[in-house]
Amino acid sequence: MIIEEKNGDIILKGVKCLSLPLTLDCGECFRWEEESDGSWSGVAFCRFLNIKNTAEGEFLLKNTTRQDFDTIWYNYFDFGRDYEAICERLKQDSLLSETIDKYYGIRILNQDPWEALFSFVISQQNNIKRIKGIIKRLCDTYGEEICESWHSFPDAKTLSALTVSDFEMLGTGYRAKYLKKLADDVASGQIDLKKIKAMPLEEAKTALLDIYGVGIKVANCALLFGFQFVECFPVDVWMKRVLEYYPNGLPECFKGCEGIAQQYLFHWARNNLK
């Protein structure tokens, strides 16, 4: 990948295996919106970004700096991982071979652990459109303004000042009591997300499952998308149906990158299974 700076923008050349629509609108993150010009706008780690795949095959990153690219966006978009090689390995599986060819370019976004965990608690028994609406209201109401129409994801200390009723007013429903307790416990230090991120996978999963309102699906999604455990394989109703295609367990070629395989299979299932 070649990184250039031009007129205050960042230009990336030679990026392999990155589809913005498939990555930013597939249900692993809820703060990206497609603009009329085909670009995508979003906020992560208290920074706003507009990114577009140009007709020349380059990626244009606006509203950012080289420092923010190096310290935030390089890791956020997982540019340090060789997705091209991983996809070739995953294509040893016949179902994934067809799926990767059709939906090439899905990546794992390395999100903030706090935002990912809180967001996936909201996601329980919910659909993507509604989740995005709740999170937008949460950020617009309690986040700090970054630029016009965009706010940061509020931290635990800010949200710990809210009541269960405040969370209910955002449309969170029965999840409100989970969110209140989570904000309180993270703000007080009772839950240490940095410590959890440094644990081995199974210990980290156990720690998340001890949190009020966090079940196995939410824990696995948070671990994959927020704690950078790329070997996590979240299972929801779609993936339960996919696993019927693997009666003997996951193929050996999935090992070490199960989460990437899962994202392709999840997208296939949503588009091909009724």
Side-chain angles (χ1 to χ4, degrees):
M1 180 174 69
I2 299 172
I3 306 169
E4 294 183 356
E5 296 179 76
K6 185 177 181 181
N7 301 325
D9 299 327
I10 302 293
I11 300 172
L12 307 179
K13 299 181 178 180
V15 175
K16 305 293 185 181
C17 192
L18 173 57
S19 164
L20 295 178
L22 293 179
T23 299
L24 299 178
D25 198 32
C26 67
E28 61 174 286
C29 184
F30 307 103
R31 298 217 62 204
W32 291 92
E33 299 292 340
E34 187 174 14
E35 306 288 2
S36 59
D37 65 352
S39 67
W40 290 79
S41 294
V43 169
F45 296 95
C46 298
R47 293 290 190 274
F48 172 80
L49 180 71
N50 177 266
I51 181 170
K52 183 177 183 179
N53 190 192
T54 69
E56 294 76 23
E58 302 169 348
F59 287 88
L60 176 66
L61 284 69
K62 302 180 74 69
N63 310 101
T64 192
T65 64
R66 178 59 188 266
Q67 181 179 357
D68 279 352
F69 175 78
D70 291 341
T71 59
I72 297 174
W73 303 116
Y74 182 86
N75 182 63
Y76 183 83
F77 285 101
D78 213 17
F79 285 127
R81 197 182 307 275
D82 190 346
Y83 276 80
E84 197 172 23
I86 289 171
C87 285
E88 283 304 307
R89 176 155 61 90
L90 291 176
K91 287 171 72 172
Q92 294 174 36
D93 175 68
S94 58
L95 178 56
L96 265 186
S97 179
E98 176 185 339
T99 301
I100 288 173
D101 284 343
K102 188 172 183 179
Y103 304 115
Y104 191 66
I106 299 176
R107 282 175 173 257
I108 301 297
L109 299 173
N110 292 317
Q111 301 171 55
D112 172 65
W114 161 247
E115 179 176 342
L117 178 58
F118 204 85
S119 297
F120 281 103
V121 171
I122 291 173
S123 78
Q124 297 178 78
Q125 301 297 317
N126 228 334
N127 61 65
I128 292 176
K129 182 178 179 180
R130 193 162 182 272
I131 299 164
K132 293 177 79 168
I134 292 170
I135 292 175
K136 178 171 172 50
R137 289 192 292 275
L138 176 79
C139 295
D140 288 351
T141 306
Y142 300 107
E144 296 183 3
E145 186 175 32
I146 296 173
C147 57
E148 186 178 358
S149 301
W150 290 94
H151 296 74
S152 66
F153 195 93
D155 60 23
K157 183 178 179 181
T158 299
L159 295 183
S160 68
L162 275 58
T163 65
V164 171
S165 294
D166 291 328
F167 284 115
E168 289 174 340
M169 289 291 290
L170 297 169
T172 60
Y174 73 89
R175 309 161 195 84
K177 58 184 181 293
Y178 303 150
L179 299 171
K180 169 60 177 170
K181 183 74 163 58
L182 177 58
D184 287 348
D185 288 349
V186 173
S188 69
Q190 184 172 333
I191 295 173
D192 188 335
L193 298 182
K194 288 184 179 179
K195 184 177 179 180
I196 293 174
K197 187 174 180 179
M199 293 176 178
L201 173 58
E202 290 308 315
E203 289 183 27
K205 186 179 298 185
T206 298
L208 291 185
L209 289 172
D210 283 340
I211 297 172
Y212 180 56
V214 173
I216 188 65
K217 179 198 169 186
V218 169
N220 278 330
C221 285
L223 289 166
L224 175 59
F225 303 124
F227 292 78
Q228 300 186 23
F229 287 101
V230 75
E231 64 271 37
C232 246
F233 191 88
V235 176
D236 65 353
V237 292
W238 288 111
M239 294 309 299
K240 285 179 181 178
R241 297 178 65 189
V242 169
L243 288 176
E244 295 176 7
Y245 290 78
Y246 299 97
N248 298 316
L250 298 178
E252 181 66 22
C253 64
F254 285 21
K255 191 172 183 180
C257 55
E258 290 90 339
I260 297 172
Q262 188 270 355
Q263 279 299 95
Y264 274 102
L265 291 170
F266 176 71
H267 194 76
W268 174 82
R270 287 202 304 162
N271 285 275
N272 292 278
L273 298 179
K274 294 183 179 180

